Structure formats: structure tokens, C-alpha cells
Amino acid sequence: MTDTAYLKDLGKKLQKFQPWKQTAFATAMAQRSLSNFGLFSQVTGFGDLSELKHCLNMLWDHIAGQQSAKNFERLLERLEEQTPDIDDFDMYGVYPALDAIVSLTTAVHCAMQPSADEALSNGELSLSTIGKFLGQTEASELKGTELSQYIDQHPLTLQHLDFIDEVCTLLSKAKPNADMKKKLRELALNDGLSELGISMEE
């Protein structure tokens, strides 16, 4: 998996961020994973993507100073209702869909009580989602160091590391306003493509 030194360095960056920037980082990771849930929902009929979009809208407004987090407990309840049980689905897609819910839940927790550790966990989760996906779909015959090297050098991993770095660079100079929200959200949306290269649009 991705070099622990990278994650350690990312953790140090997040520790230096203001609380709202930590929440913004966590939300950007959650936004990028949205299509993983969306495609799963389209295929299985499970869940309501609009509920996830509503939570993201509330988070983005909060980050821009336009929404209080005092009622975010309700968002957690709504996300719990959208959480798939992996035992109910005989398909790999349930795992990245579940990761998307976990990522969004973590972002809501971060909004309620900002934490560099929570923000970092969303960065780690997004990379883990890629690693598990590649191990399942492209490199099932590889193990140990060979598998780790394959994942670390894969374009999906490298593109996502670039995304994480872009988010950190943007946030390092940002102020909590509507302009920042628009720029970061567009970066995270990535034209609808998730970190796995999944899009809901055919």
C-alpha cells in the first residue's frame, strides 16, 4: 500500500490546518467517492443517492460559513439509513459503496468536532478503497510486496495522490467563503469520476 511516510507527512499537514480546513479536506474525499455509491445504487436499486448529495450540500455550506453544524446529528441518522449490509449483496461493488458512506459519515463527524485524525482517516480510506479495488479486479494473483508495488505505481493511485496534494495546496491558502467552496467542490467532483474512475453517467 501507499508509503506510510506519505501518510505521516499528510497527517502533519492536516494537524497545521484550521478546523474548517480539516473538515473541508474530509468532505473533498467524501465528494470524490460519491459515484462509487451512485453506480452501486443504480445497479442494485439500494439506497437514495439524493440523501448523500443532501449531506454533501450541507457540509459544503458549513465549510463556507453558510451552515451551522448544530443539527448534523440528523445527517448521521440519514446516512445510517443508506448504509448497505455487505452480507446482503453478492457483488464487489458493495465495498466501495460502503466506503463512500463511511467517508461521508467521517466528514460529518469532522464538521461536528473537527479533527486532523478524522480528516487523515478519510485520506487513508480513499487510498485503501483504490488498493482493495485493484487487488480484486486487476492483481488478484499478486501478494505481499508485489501487490503493494503494483498498487502504489498504478495510475489510479498516482492520480489520487495528486488530487490529495491539490486539495492540500488549495486549502493552505484558502479562506472559508463561497469562492473557495466552488473551487474545492469542482476539484473534488472531478466531472463525476470517482477515485476508482467510476462514473454514474453513461
Side-chain angles (χ1 to χ4, degrees), residues 50-122:
S50 66
E51 287 288 335
L52 277 69
K53 289 182 176 179
H54 170 74
C55 288
L56 282 163
N57 287 340
M58 296 283 279
L59 284 166
W60 287 119
D61 286 347
H62 171 69
I63 291 161
Q66 302 165 332
Q67 171 70 47
S68 168
K70 65 180 181 180
N71 297 318
F72 276 17
E73 285 284 356
R74 177 58 185 143
L75 295 184
L76 295 176
E77 295 173 9
R78 294 170 77 155
L79 288 173
E80 187 174 351
E81 294 167 1
Q82 303 302 315
T83 303
D85 186 336
I86 58 175
D87 293 331
D88 292 342
F89 299 94
D90 187 22
M91 60 184 299
Y92 181 76
V94 68
Y95 292 99
L98 179 59
D99 284 353
I101 292 288
V102 172
S103 182
L104 189 44
T105 299
T106 300
V108 174
H109 278 297
C110 205
M112 295 169 66
Q113 188 170 353
S115 161
D117 290 339
E118 291 271 33
L120 178 61
S121 72
N122 256 11

Side-chain angles (χ1 to χ4, degrees), residues 3-184:
D3 186 24
T4 54
Y6 176 87
L7 292 172
K8 187 175 181 180
D9 182 60
L10 176 60
K12 289 179 180 178
K13 290 180 184 177
L14 294 172
Q15 287 285 355
K16 295 177 182 177
F17 276 179
Q18 296 166 274
W20 76 265
K21 292 184 179 182
Q22 294 166 349
T23 302
F25 179 90
T27 301
M29 298 303 114
Q31 181 73 68
R32 181 61 67 105
S33 69
L34 183 66
S35 290
N36 297 338
F37 183 92
L39 182 60
F40 169 76
S41 182
Q42 281 183 0
V43 170
T44 64
F46 175 87
D48 184 353
L49 184 64
S50 66
E51 287 288 335
L52 277 69
K53 289 182 176 179
H54 170 74
C55 288
L56 282 163
N57 287 340
M58 296 283 279
L59 284 166
W60 287 119
D61 286 347
H62 171 69
I63 291 161
Q66 302 165 332
Q67 171 70 47
S68 168
K70 65 180 181 180
N71 297 318
F72 276 17
E73 285 284 356
R74 177 58 185 143
L75 295 184
L76 295 176
E77 295 173 9
R78 294 170 77 155
L79 288 173
E80 187 174 351
E81 294 167 1
Q82 303 302 315
T83 303
D85 186 336
I86 58 175
D87 293 331
D88 292 342
F89 299 94
D90 187 22
M91 60 184 299
Y92 181 76
V94 68
Y95 292 99
L98 179 59
D99 284 353
I101 292 288
V102 172
S103 182
L104 189 44
T105 299
T106 300
V108 174
H109 278 297
C110 205
M112 295 169 66
Q113 188 170 353
S115 161
D117 290 339
E118 291 271 33
L120 178 61
S121 72
N122 256 11
E124 290 180 299
L125 176 61
S126 63
L127 289 164
S128 174
T129 300
I130 295 171
K132 289 183 291 187
F133 175 75
L134 294 175
Q136 181 73 21
T137 61
E138 294 187 15
S140 57
E141 75 286 356
L142 299 179
K143 304 293 181 186
T145 302
E146 285 188 336
L147 176 59
S148 295
Q149 290 177 344
Y150 181 87
I151 292 170
D152 289 350
Q153 296 167 6
H154 195 279
L156 285 178
T157 302
L158 298 176
Q159 289 165 13
H160 195 63
L161 290 174
D162 284 344
F163 166 64
I164 290 174
D165 290 343
E166 283 187 77
V167 171
C168 288
T169 298
L170 193 158
L171 285 173
S172 67
K173 310 166 187 173
K175 295 182 179 179
N177 55 39
D179 183 57
M180 176 283 307
K181 179 179 78 170
K182 181 180 178 182
K183 288 179 180 177
L184 184 57

